[in-house]
Amino acid sequence: MKTDKKQNQYRVNEQIRVREVRIVGESGSTVMPTKEALDMARQQGVDLVEISPNANPPVCRLIDYSKFLYQQKKRAKEMKAKQVKVEVKEIRFGPQTDEHDYQFKLKHAKEFLEEGNKVRAYVFFRGRSILFKEQGEVLLLRFANDLEEVGKVESMPSLEGKKMFLYLAPKKAGVAKKSQQARDREASEIDQKEQKQQVKDIDVETPANGGLFANAKISADALKKLTEEAE
């Protein structure tokens, strides 16, 4: 049989063996002998529950213990439901990400940030494409600029090995997450897109074929704004 840890967390009635306790209620608090407090609980048809054992004297309440436990569990459940687990979602770009693929990943990054998750976007340079790392920086800065309404830059683009990373954090607390099935479906769509992109990246030598880097545009004001926010 499983032990109810919450139930064993409190001492009740005869389990309270200190000489005196402080009884708190709507009318205030009163210090009295423990025996007197137990008698008062019996007269009212409730329990003497120790809610703060480390106080001097320990703090107790005259309440229905079963109802008290139910309210504690209900409150804990409500708090857990309101909490948003922050996860780090990855968005991968290739050196030749086209506009359609860019917009697809921008959409999902916006959803991730709105849900309260962080986003780690990176450009992966394969082989000689590392020569165009400056264009990777332009792409990531454009990405940050397009997400400025929902995300803030935590770290400006930086090259780590063959990857250039950009970190974004949500500006607002996240809303309730989608179902696991919906998240799995979206993750699968992103994976399929990235697999197709990897095929495109294999023979990349120059961005002159009209890819995203060839026509990426980001204003000087936007670049300056992003730099100031990161500092």
Side-chain angles (χ1 to χ4, degrees):
M1 182 180 294
K2 294 183 180 179
T3 302
D4 191 331
K5 294 182 179 179
K6 177 67 71 173
Q7 186 168 350
N8 293 335
Q9 180 178 337
Y10 304 96
R11 288 187 290 188
V12 185
N13 299 326
E14 284 74 15
Q15 295 175 352
I16 305 172
R17 295 188 174 89
V18 294
R19 186 175 62 181
E20 60 182 14
V21 294
R22 179 182 296 276
I23 302 298
V24 295
E26 296 180 357
S27 59
S29 65
T30 305
V31 175
M32 65 177 64
T34 303
K35 186 178 182 302
E36 183 178 335
L38 285 168
D39 291 339
M40 185 182 299
R42 293 190 189 97
Q43 292 172 5
Q44 296 181 17
V46 294
D47 301 293
L48 180 66
V49 181
E50 184 182 62
I51 60 174
S52 184
N54 296 324
N56 187 22
V59 178
C60 297
R61 293 180 62 189
L62 299 175
I63 51 178
D64 184 317
Y65 187 48
S66 296
K67 184 177 180 181
F68 172 72
L69 286 179
Y70 171 77
Q71 291 175 339
Q72 291 286 308
K73 290 179 181 179
K74 182 179 179 181
R75 188 175 298 112
K77 185 176 181 181
E78 291 174 348
M79 290 180 64
K80 185 177 180 180
K82 291 179 180 179
Q83 290 177 347
V84 176
K85 184 179 180 181
V86 177
E87 299 178 4
V88 179
K89 303 290 187 177
E90 282 197 344
I91 299 292
R92 178 189 182 280
F93 292 101
Q96 286 298 104
T97 301
D98 59 36
E99 185 64 22
H100 176 75
D101 193 31
Y102 174 84
Q103 293 298 333
F104 176 82
K105 292 179 179 179
L106 180 69
K107 173 187 173 183
H108 285 288
K110 183 177 180 181
E111 291 175 354
F112 292 150
L113 291 167
E114 288 175 341
E115 290 173 357
N117 298 306
K118 293 186 177 183
V119 169
R120 177 170 60 189
Y122 69 93
V123 179
F124 178 70
F125 299 98
R126 186 189 301 275
R128 287 174 290 177
S129 65
I130 191 68
L131 297 174
F132 307 109
K133 57 182 181 292
E134 290 82 5
Q135 293 164 326
E137 182 177 7
V138 171
L139 169 63
L140 292 176
L141 288 173
R142 175 191 175 187
F143 190 66
N145 188 60
D146 289 344
L147 292 169
E148 64 177 348
E149 291 185 1
V150 293
K152 56 185 177 182
V153 176
E154 279 195 333
S155 174
M156 294 295 283
S158 61
L159 188 65
E160 299 177 20
K162 293 184 178 181
K163 297 179 181 180
M164 180 173 286
F165 291 94
L166 170 74
Y167 293 87
L168 298 169
K171 279 190 174 181
K172 298 180 181 179
V175 296
K177 291 188 176 182
K178 299 179 181 179
S179 67
Q180 184 63 47
Q181 183 178 2
R183 294 200 300 273
D184 290 344
R185 183 173 61 253
E186 291 180 354
S188 177
E189 291 176 356
I190 293 177
D191 288 342
Q192 291 175 8
K193 283 281 186 178
E194 291 183 348
Q195 289 174 7
K196 292 179 181 179
Q197 187 62 44
Q198 288 175 7
V199 175
K200 293 180 182 179
D201 294 343
I202 293 177
D203 297 323
V204 171
E205 293 184 4
T206 173
N209 63 352
L212 179 61
F213 291 133
N215 58 13
K217 296 180 181 180
I218 186 166
S219 67
D221 291 340
L223 285 170
K224 181 178 178 182
K225 179 179 179 182
L226 288 169
T227 303
E228 291 175 349
E229 289 181 354
E231 294 176 351

